[in-house]
């Protein structure tokens, strides 16, 4: 009993019989599962064969859980079925396969790879609607550009996803120095706001 239609176990198990015999890894998409993240995408990308079980309506008879190797949730929200989640997870896995990305080094600098958001990126023109590209990116000094990128990555992770920064590997000496610089900038900005009477 309960609200909503529940999928019976027999048809789902029938669909799984062949993949199970072929040693396919069974991924059940369910709100009870581990929330999908980049490290899990990397783990799944090393598997030879994956079969997704996409729930619908109220879900699937819980006995089907016993036949899954992974239980994954796309996030803390409700969608009509597991198909969209399977597509999103598939895309995250496929792009990690050799030969899919033209420049493999680009995979190493993306958001979530090092528990940090990626730094801001710009194209031409250097000035768009009076919004300029930061000067440091135009000076050709590779060390300064690298330092700016790392600082921006740390800053935006701190401001937008501090939970990621807490998971970040041990901070290097340079990263600690950059974080102190970010702290000083933020403290200065906060002080300016607190002393500006027009903001009250």
């Amino acid at each position: 009993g309960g609200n909503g239609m529940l999928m019976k176990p027999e048809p789902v198990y029938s669909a799984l019989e062949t993949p199970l015999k072929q040693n396919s890894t069974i991924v059940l998409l369910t709100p009870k599962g581990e929330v999908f993240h980049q490290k899990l995408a990397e783990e799944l990308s090393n598997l030879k064969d994956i079969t997704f079980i996409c729930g619908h309506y109220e879900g699937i008879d819980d006995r089907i859980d016993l036949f899954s190797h992974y239980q994954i949730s796309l996030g803390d929200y409700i969608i009509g079925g597991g198909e969209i989640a399977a597509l999103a997870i598939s895309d995250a896995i496929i792009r990690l396969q050799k030969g899919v990305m033209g420049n493999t080094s680009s995979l190493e600098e993306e958001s979530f790879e090092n528990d940090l958001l990626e730094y801001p990126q710009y194209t031409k023109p250097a000035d768009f609607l009076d919004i300029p590209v930061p000067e440091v990116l135009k000076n050709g000094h590779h060390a300064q550009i690298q330092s700016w990128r790392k600082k921006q990555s740390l800053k935006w992770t701190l401001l937008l996803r501090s939970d990621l920064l807490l998971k970040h590997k041990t901070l290097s000496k340079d990263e600690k120095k950059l974080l102190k610089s970010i702290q000083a900038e933020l403290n200065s900005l906060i002080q300016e706001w607190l002393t500006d009477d027009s903001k009250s």
Side-chain angles (χ1 to χ4, degrees):
N3 295 320
M5 291 168 53
L6 198 62
M7 294 173 73
K8 292 167 67 68
E10 297 96 336
V12 180
Y13 180 72
S14 292
L16 287 177
E17 281 189 291
T18 299
L20 284 168
K21 284 176 187 171
Q22 295 172 346
N23 295 318
S24 181
T25 299
I26 310 299
V27 175
L28 174 62
L29 299 162
T30 169
K32 298 181 295 187
E34 178 182 3
V35 176
F36 189 62
H37 52 85
Q38 187 63 22
K39 295 285 186 290
L40 187 50
E42 290 168 8
E43 184 178 329
L44 293 172
S45 74
N46 292 315
L47 299 173
K48 185 179 177 185
D49 190 86
I50 298 174
T51 300
F52 290 101
I53 306 174
C54 302
H56 216 75
Y57 310 115
E58 188 63 19
I60 305 172
D61 185 299
D62 262 31
R63 288 168 287 187
I64 290 299
D65 293 9
L66 300 171
F67 303 99
S68 65
H69 302 101
Y70 289 85
Q71 295 185 19
I72 299 175
S73 169
L74 200 56
D76 298 337
Y77 49 88
I78 306 299
I79 52 180
E83 298 83 1
I84 292 171
L87 284 171
I89 293 168
S90 295
D91 188 57
I93 294 169
I94 290 166
R95 63 191 309 280
L96 294 171
Q97 299 301 307
K98 187 176 180 181
V100 172
M101 297 289 286
N103 182 1
T104 54
S105 62
S106 65
L107 291 170
E108 298 166 11
E109 293 187 5
E110 293 187 309
S111 293
F112 310 117
E113 275 303 321
N114 299 303
D115 294 319
L116 294 173
L117 296 179
E118 195 172 2
Y119 50 82
Q121 298 187 63
Y122 303 91
T123 61
K124 293 179 180 179
D127 191 292
F128 171 69
L129 300 178
D130 291 328
I131 308 166
V133 169
E135 280 300 319
V136 66
L137 299 180
K138 298 186 285 183
N139 69 15
H141 194 294
H142 295 295
Q144 287 179 2
I145 291 169
Q146 197 63 31
S147 179
W148 180 89
R149 286 175 169 175
K150 176 59 82 171
K151 183 176 179 180
Q152 296 301 311
S153 184
L154 286 165
K155 180 173 82 173
W156 289 111
T157 305
L158 175 67
L159 294 173
L160 301 175
R161 289 293 306 275
S162 57
D163 58 308
L164 291 174
L165 201 55
L166 293 172
K167 294 192 308 183
H168 185 56
K169 63 184 185 320
T170 306
L171 291 170
S172 68
K173 191 175 178 181
D174 285 341
E175 287 176 328
K176 286 179 182 178
K177 187 177 175 183
L178 290 170
L179 273 175
K180 284 180 182 176
S181 169
I182 293 165
Q183 182 182 30
E185 288 174 9
L186 292 175
N187 286 343
S188 175
L189 184 62
I190 291 166
Q191 191 59 42
E192 186 181 324
W193 270 70
L194 291 174
T195 55
D196 188 343
D197 292 335
S198 68
K199 298 288 191 285
S200 57

